[in-house]
Amino acid sequence: MILSKRPDIERFLRQPDAGVRAVVIYGRDIGVVRDRGHALAGKVVADPNDPFDVAQLTDGDLDADAGRLEGELAAQSLMGGRRLVRLRLTSDKGGPDKIAAEALVRHAAGELNPEAFLLIEAGNLDKTSALRKAAEKADGAAAIPCYEDEPGDVARLVRETLARDGVGLNADALAMFVARLPKERGVAKVEIERLALYLGPGSGVQATPADLEPFLGVEPEASLSDAAADAFGGRLAEAQAGLRRAAQEGEAGPAAVRAIGMYLGRLRRALTLAKSGASLQEAAKASGVFWKQEREFLRQARSWNLDELDRLQPEVLAADRACKSAGAPDQLIAQRLALTIASKARRMGL
């Protein structure tokens, strides 16, 4: 079964069909895949992180033991009742794809533990993928493709996320903010959360375009963009010099942190697209990298990985928040963040 229309997907995520034992959620936008995976996992078991009811596997587990997935699907819950087996595929290797497909077919046919639910989250599975074919054809299984959000989807995400924090945007401000957001949902959600912090959670503010101007600002000056690139390239002295130059040009610490966050977002989007099958050069272009900076950007993209970038993201958010505290040494905060990033880059060989 294929679920490709939004109403059908949302209905299924709210109330999964009783006859479905296995679901494959896949697509280029890993943020959407993860969101839908989390939503479905929460409907299958009370606590998706409970080690007694949930088994979490990756490509590496299948490479190490080809029978591990079927073994987990055959096992009974230690606490009794429903069991969730959650597999995350992040590589495009054929081995794990084939192993997962074979296990899905057996499980969907009822050959393993009928109380187990198989949830697989993957990148962009093409039409030749054995796993994708199996999920589309097998009774008792479903395939959910995920595409990049349309502007209307992004606007809804912004409204719903801000509403949970008791703030909002008027129609003009919403259109302005959505137009500036990156397409990849994971990066976009970070920017929305940053906006909620800026507006003040629980304040009831309904912001206008004028309210957003200090937050969005303009594209960072060349010195800030260069400083961010130097930091991610492991060139600390150059990054610090760029930040000092930007300060002399009137760019404060929050603008420097924002430039670093934007650069991290470009790297993250490029690596996400590359993991989904695009070439790094195509991914760089799609991430808005100017051709003159492409060579250096590609050099960095070959060394950084999504796990490292995800570990950096909270530090960027913390620096952004700290810069906006009254009396905070914002320039020092930005320089310390650049030092952290450059040090990580150097350890990775950049």
Side-chain angles (χ1 to χ4, degrees):
M1 174 171 64
I2 305 173
L3 298 173
S4 58
K5 295 182 179 179
R6 179 174 294 278
D8 294 335
I9 294 172
E10 291 181 347
R11 174 194 58 76
F12 183 88
L13 295 179
R14 283 195 304 270
Q15 187 172 357
D17 296 354
V20 174
R21 293 194 183 97
V23 172
V24 177
I25 305 176
Y26 69 93
R28 289 186 182 277
D29 194 327
I30 299 300
V32 180
V33 172
R34 293 287 180 261
D35 280 355
R36 288 176 173 172
H38 288 319
L40 184 54
K43 295 296 182 180
V44 176
V45 292
D47 180 4
N49 295 312
D50 186 346
F52 295 106
D53 287 333
V54 181
Q56 303 203 39
L57 306 178
T58 65
D59 319 58
D61 295 313
L62 302 193
D63 283 333
D65 181 359
R68 174 78 182 277
L69 180 56
E70 289 195 6
E72 295 287 357
L73 289 169
Q76 302 292 318
S77 169
L78 294 177
M79 306 301 291
R82 203 76 186 274
R83 174 174 168 78
L84 172 64
V85 179
R86 192 170 184 180
L87 170 64
R88 288 179 171 172
L89 298 176
T90 57
S91 73
D92 56 0
K93 293 188 291 187
D97 184 270
K98 184 179 179 183
I99 292 169
E102 292 171 351
L104 181 145
V105 170
R106 287 196 63 199
H107 184 55
E111 297 179 24
L112 304 172
N113 176 14
E115 292 299 318
F117 190 94
L118 174 59
L119 170 59
I120 301 176
E121 299 163 54
N124 189 40
L125 302 177
D126 61 30
K127 293 181 179 180
T128 64
S129 164
L131 177 59
R132 175 176 168 179
K133 290 178 181 177
E136 291 174 350
K137 294 178 181 178
D139 292 333
I144 301 178
C146 300
Y147 307 104
E148 285 186 341
D149 288 323
E150 298 294 330
D153 301 323
V154 178
R156 183 175 64 170
L157 177 66
V158 172
R159 285 196 301 269
E160 292 175 352
T161 304
L162 294 181
R164 287 196 291 270
D165 282 314
V167 293
L169 305 174
N170 70 14
D172 290 339
L174 180 63
M176 178 181 179
F177 183 62
V178 168
R180 296 284 294 273
L181 278 176
K183 291 184 178 179
E184 204 276 318
R185 184 182 287 194
V187 182
K189 288 178 72 174
V190 171
E191 287 301 304
I192 299 169
E193 291 165 3
R194 200 164 67 85
L195 176 62
L197 286 173
Y198 173 76
L199 295 177
S203 66
V205 167
Q206 292 294 308
T208 67
D211 297 324
L212 290 188
E213 285 178 4
F215 175 80
L216 294 174
V218 296
E219 284 297 308
E221 294 296 325
S223 52
L224 281 184
S225 299
D226 291 345
D230 286 331
F232 280 93
R235 296 184 296 275
L236 176 60
E238 291 86 345
Q240 301 285 31
L243 292 176
R244 287 193 294 269
R245 195 162 55 245
Q248 292 169 358
E249 296 166 1
E251 294 286 1
V257 174
R258 185 160 58 244
I260 290 172
M262 290 173 64
Y263 196 90
L264 186 151
R266 289 194 186 99
L267 265 176
R268 193 178 190 285
R269 175 167 169 74
L271 291 177
T272 300
L273 291 174
K275 180 179 286 188
S276 300
S279 71
L280 261 182
Q281 194 166 20
E282 291 171 344
K285 286 184 170 63
S287 303
V289 178
F290 187 49
W291 67 269
K292 287 185 178 180
Q293 282 80 48
E294 186 177 285
R295 184 175 179 180
E296 172 60 15
F297 184 91
L298 293 176
R299 184 182 77 92
Q300 295 175 19
R302 293 186 184 99
S303 294
W304 284 93
N305 59 64
L306 288 171
D307 287 340
E308 288 291 344
L309 293 177
D310 285 343
R311 280 190 281 270
L312 267 181
Q313 188 72 65
E315 297 189 47
V316 176
L317 280 174
D320 182 76
R321 198 178 302 119
C323 278
K324 291 170 181 163
S325 300
D330 56 358
Q331 296 294 343
L332 181 59
I333 291 169
Q335 290 181 22
R336 186 182 301 140
L337 178 62
L339 170 61
T340 299
I341 294 170
S343 298
K344 286 181 181 289
R346 293 293 294 273
R347 288 197 295 271
M348 289 186 292
L350 284 164

